[in-house]
Amino acid sequence: MNRPERVPYTRLALEATEAAKQAGVGEQFHEAAYRAYWGDGVDLGVVENLKPIAEEVGLDWPTLHKHIEDRTYKEEVEKQYQDALNIGVTGIPAYVIGRFFFVGAQPYDVFKQVAERAITMMEEGEDPGFKS
């Protein structure tokens, strides 16, 4: 991992991700941004650093840049943030598997045990869904 020296302000990158979703390339944009940040140490808090990511996934940069400038997806990102707080997210990464919720880097065995428990609940007819 090549994380930047400072923690970037990523709100605008999150808004760009919402724009990418609307354009049908949300997952691709997310993956490219993830690689850029964790693999190449790109500061996603610098708007111009989002341009090569957008171009990589086929987004029109002038259109995306206008969405960022206009804060088109600000309310959606704020709603998602509030929703996360409401279910108890206090940090990243955070995971929900069935009705199980946990925060922070976890060993593989934790994921395996939680997934197995959620599957067992479904097989036994229990509602495995998350309840906030």
Side-chain angles (χ1 to χ4, degrees), residues 112-132:
K112 183 178 178 192
Q113 290 170 5
V114 171
E116 287 171 350
R117 178 64 183 128
I119 290 168
T120 298
M121 291 173 71
M122 288 187 334
E123 290 173 347
E124 293 174 353
E126 290 183 58
D127 178 8
F130 182 73
K131 311 236 188 305
S132 59

Side-chain angles (χ1 to χ4, degrees), residues 19 26 30 45 58 65 81-82 88 92-93 96 108 116 119 121 129:
H30 172 80
H65 193 260
Y81 176 70
Q82 191 58 52
I92 55 172
V96 176
Y108 170 78
E116 287 171 350
I119 290 168
M121 291 173 71

Side-chain angles (χ1 to χ4, degrees), residues 15 19 66-76:
E15 292 176 26
K66 178 120 177 74
H67 282 302
I68 294 168
E69 283 182 335
D70 293 348
R71 306 296 304 272
T72 305
Y73 297 97
K74 177 183 179 189
E75 287 182 25
E76 176 60 26

